[in-house]
Amino acid sequence: MNATLRLADDIGHRLMNMFSYTFSVLSMIYLSFRTVMFDQAQGFRAIFSVVSAQIYFTGWQALPLIGALALATGAVVIMQSTAQLSRLGGAGMLGELLVAVIVREIGPLITALIVIARSGTAVASELGNMKVNRETEALEAMGINPLSYIVFPRIVGGIVSVVCLAFYFVLIALLGGYLVSYFFHDLSFVFYTDTLAQALTPFDVWFFLLKNIFGGTFIFVVCCYQGLLVKESPSEVPQVTTKAVVNSIIYVVGFNLILSLLSYVEQLTRYGIL
Amino acid sequence: MKFGNRVDIKEIELRNVCLREGNGVIWLDDVSVKFQPGQTAFFKGEQVASNILKLAAGLLTPTLGQVLINGNDIHEMDFEEFLPYRLNLGYTFNLGGILNNRTIKENLMLPFLYHGAPIEFAEKEVQEILDLFELNRYQDYRPAGVPGVVRKLACIGRTLAVTPQVLLMDDPTSSMKPNVVKRLKSWIEERREEAPLTVLVASDHDEFFSDWNYQVYGIENGRLKTLDEPRKKVAGL
């Protein structure tokens, strides 16, 4: 009985911590946007320069890595799908399969994981070091709200970068992947583009945008939040960076999973299966 | 010309302030003190003295008690409400406080650019500070590439450049050459000829300012005490 109570207590405690953490993270999004809306004194010129720097580091510099991964992923998925569907006589379903796998699932997920690994860690450690060096205090002392100068530009720059990178991933995966697989399979380009165009619906576009916008938000707000948790010691920086990566992955994967489940439940309902 | 919407600071008061840490350390215990425009005060006692300045600058929240500026409790204000006061409160750091991803000049320009001051005006004010502390040759370097004393001077210079009404300086003279301290003093004296400038300093080295009229405070067991120390004259200053 005691063991059961302890287990229940432990689970309850963990759940409360998770809700409290989520509430704090969501509050940070609200406060940073609110500060930018209501603080009339700030110079948008200074904030815009931080946004553009964030887009450069997160988006532009990640293009080669994302491109290589997209090419490899696209080629593998297209080759496997063509081979399997041809055997089953379902070659006409290739477009639907690629949209479901690459546009809806793999594109947003791999992009998010790359951004977490490259930029999430950079943001968390940069902000942690800023706290250690009293840079955030210095900003406050100058009348510069760290939420509008540090957090807001990183979230906005992060969202823009993630959406653009995911779009770039999907484009390279579908077109570059076709070119690579062309050497192994006799797949007509006209047939390929036609089946893709027929499969892609406005719902897929919304689904893609929703996953990437929220994914980008979660990654950067969690990393900013963790970075700003550092108190005074440099030894805290790697600890918060690790936690930022783990928490970002949990939030992004969790959100993507929930969204995908909801969409498939909706599809099953539409087809009368549920 | 001063940029930003500012409120004149007529009085700073720490009323029954207690500052304690979770581990039981008591930094300040029931401290009450007031500062008027144009006043100079030195606080001796390292970390505790720094904490008094941070409290006055709104960078630290007291465990108990109030920090009042013009009779208003600053910890009841949000960031935007406190901003007009903050722009007249210049806090300089003992260590750190300089943005590492910006050059020395960009650090000095930041408050002007953020608060929408005209660029020509900002350039002029910043150049004056670069000349004052002979920072011209370091202006395009990032803080990691310059000596520690240059970082400290840049931090002090960034605060002076925006001409606040209250200067809260955390150990400004440590590791500084006497001629630099002399220039800092001259800058403050020149500004005082134009308008009252309150100067609160956390430092054990008040001898550099011995020709000024000032009050010295010490902190013992968290309590603020007025010290009556003989003032020394330092040769060469």
Side-chain angles (χ1 to χ4, degrees):
Chain A
M1 185 66 183
N2 274 346
T4 316
L5 279 176
R6 263 202 304 277
L7 182 70
D9 181 54
D10 187 45
I11 291 170
H13 190 67
R14 278 167 195 266
L15 276 175
M16 286 308 290
N17 280 347
M18 200 180 75
F19 285 131
S20 160
Y21 183 86
T22 307
F23 180 75
S24 304
V25 165
L26 294 177
S27 302
M28 190 178 232
I29 303 174
Y30 165 71
L31 287 173
S32 62
F33 278 78
R34 182 194 169 277
T35 307
V36 173
M37 300 288 182
F38 292 102
D39 183 358
Q40 302 297 321
Q42 73 206 331
F44 285 102
R45 195 169 40 186
I47 292 178
F48 182 75
S49 73
V50 185
V51 173
S52 52
Q54 192 61 49
I55 292 172
Y56 174 75
F57 290 123
T58 305
W60 181 255
Q61 290 194 334
L63 286 178
L65 178 62
I66 291 280
L69 278 172
L71 199 63
T73 312
V76 168
V77 172
I78 290 169
M79 281 191 289
Q80 290 287 357
S81 310
T82 314
Q84 302 303 324
L85 288 174
S86 302
R87 237 188 276 170
L88 296 168
M93 291 170 68
L94 180 66
E96 280 180 45
L97 187 69
L98 290 181
V99 168
V101 173
I102 291 178
V103 180
R104 285 199 213 162
E105 305 299 339
I106 292 180
L109 186 65
I110 290 188
T111 306
L113 293 177
I114 296 294
V115 170
I116 290 169
R118 279 190 79 258
S119 306
T121 48
V123 166
S125 57
E126 184 192 11
L127 265 58
N129 283 317
M130 284 180 84
K131 281 280 280 189
V132 173
N133 294 326
R134 302 183 190 179
E135 292 174 45
T136 47
E137 267 185 35
L139 288 173
E140 276 190 59
M142 285 186 266
I144 298 173
N145 195 332
L147 284 173
S148 68
Y149 187 71
I150 297 178
V151 178
F152 175 79
R154 280 166 179 77
I155 296 176
V156 171
I159 293 170
V160 172
S161 302
V162 168
V163 171
C164 293
L165 283 175
F167 179 73
Y168 178 73
F169 182 98
V170 168
L171 203 69
I172 296 288
L174 292 178
L175 294 180
Y178 168 80
L179 290 176
V180 174
S181 63
Y182 183 76
F183 294 106
F184 304 96
H185 291 281
D186 184 20
L187 186 63
S188 144
F189 186 69
V190 175
F191 167 75
Y192 178 72
T193 49
D194 193 45
T195 186
L196 272 179
Q198 281 179 6
L200 199 66
T201 62
F203 174 78
D204 297 313
V205 177
W206 284 114
F207 193 80
F208 173 84
L209 286 175
L210 206 60
K211 270 193 173 179
N212 288 302
I213 290 171
F214 278 90
T217 310
F218 285 135
I219 293 167
F220 285 89
V221 80
V222 165
C223 292
C224 287
Y225 182 78
Q226 285 297 141
L228 292 174
L229 281 183
V230 170
K231 289 193 172 67
E232 54 193 19
S233 169
S235 63
E236 293 172 58
V237 177
Q239 293 169 11
V240 298
T241 306
T242 309
K243 206 163 180 189
V245 170
V246 172
N247 289 356
S248 301
I249 291 174
I250 291 171
Y251 275 93
V252 168
V253 171
F255 180 76
N256 284 3
L257 185 67
I258 290 168
L259 211 60
S260 295
L261 282 175
L262 287 176
S263 95
Y264 291 119
V265 167
E266 192 271 335
Q267 275 185 7
L268 292 176
T269 313
R270 194 153 24 100
Y271 293 137
I273 299 168
L274 277 181
Chain B
M1 179 182 157
K2 288 187 177 185
F3 63 87
N5 180 24
R6 303 189 190 193
V7 169
D8 284 345
I9 295 179
K10 299 186 179 81
E11 186 182 71
I12 298 176
E13 181 184 358
L14 271 66
R15 188 185 288 173
N16 307 118
V17 166
C18 296
L19 189 64
R20 294 171 195 156
E21 282 192 13
N23 57 10
V25 175
I26 298 173
W27 293 112
L28 295 170
D29 188 17
D30 199 21
V31 167
S32 294
V33 63
K34 283 184 186 180
F35 306 104
Q36 306 296 334
Q39 192 178 339
T40 303
F42 275 78
F43 297 90
K44 297 191 170 187
E46 295 172 352
Q47 178 75 45
V48 197
S50 303
N51 286 341
I52 289 181
L53 298 193
K54 280 192 176 180
L55 283 164
L59 297 173
L60 205 58
T61 308
T63 317
L64 287 170
Q66 293 173 303
V67 179
L68 307 159
I69 295 184
N70 298 352
N72 303 311
D73 188 344
I74 63 171
H75 293 104
E76 284 180 3
M77 301 178 195
D78 62 24
F79 197 91
E80 288 86 33
E81 286 170 335
F82 185 41
L83 187 62
Y85 298 94
R86 187 161 251 160
L87 291 176
N88 264 332
L89 289 167
Y91 181 86
T92 72
F93 290 80
N94 176 21
L95 281 171
I98 199 94
L99 303 187
N100 282 314
N101 61 356
R102 288 177 174 262
T103 64
I104 296 295
K105 188 176 179 184
E106 286 169 346
N107 262 283
L108 268 68
M109 292 286 286
L110 182 61
F112 292 94
L113 296 181
Y114 186 86
H115 294 292
I119 288 187
E120 300 77 27
F121 168 72
E123 291 271 4
K124 185 177 152 287
E125 296 295 304
V126 166
Q127 191 54 53
E128 192 185 311
I129 295 297
L130 291 171
D131 292 338
L132 177 73
F133 291 133
E134 295 177 349
L135 295 174
N136 283 299
R137 66 186 167 131
Y138 297 110
Q139 63 174 311
D140 296 324
Y141 285 90
R142 294 199 179 209
V146 300
V149 69
V150 172
R151 289 200 288 272
K152 187 163 184 164
L153 280 173
C155 194
I156 293 173
R158 188 178 60 196
T159 304
L160 301 186
V162 299
T163 54
Q165 286 183 332
V166 179
L167 270 179
L168 304 159
M169 299 200 285
D170 191 355
D171 207 2
T173 54
S174 66
S175 73
M176 267 198 210
K177 291 177 185 168
N179 65 328
V180 179
V181 179
K182 197 174 173 181
R183 271 183 250 143
L184 172 62
K185 276 183 67 186
S186 305
W187 188 93
I188 294 172
E189 284 160 2
E190 280 170 29
R191 291 296 167 284
R192 279 185 159 166
E193 283 169 13
E194 297 163 12
L197 175 63
T198 311
V199 180
L200 308 181
V201 186
S203 174
D204 288 338
H205 302 285
D206 59 318
E207 63 270 17
F208 290 119
F209 301 86
S210 56
D211 53 333
W212 286 4
N213 181 25
Y214 60 86
Q215 180 69 58
V216 182
Y217 294 96
I219 297 124
E220 202 174 279
N221 297 325
R223 299 282 178 144
L224 201 65
K225 286 172 59 179
T226 308
L227 301 180
D228 293 312
E229 288 187 348
R231 293 172 190 162
K232 302 166 198 165
K233 289 276 181 191
V234 178
L237 277 177

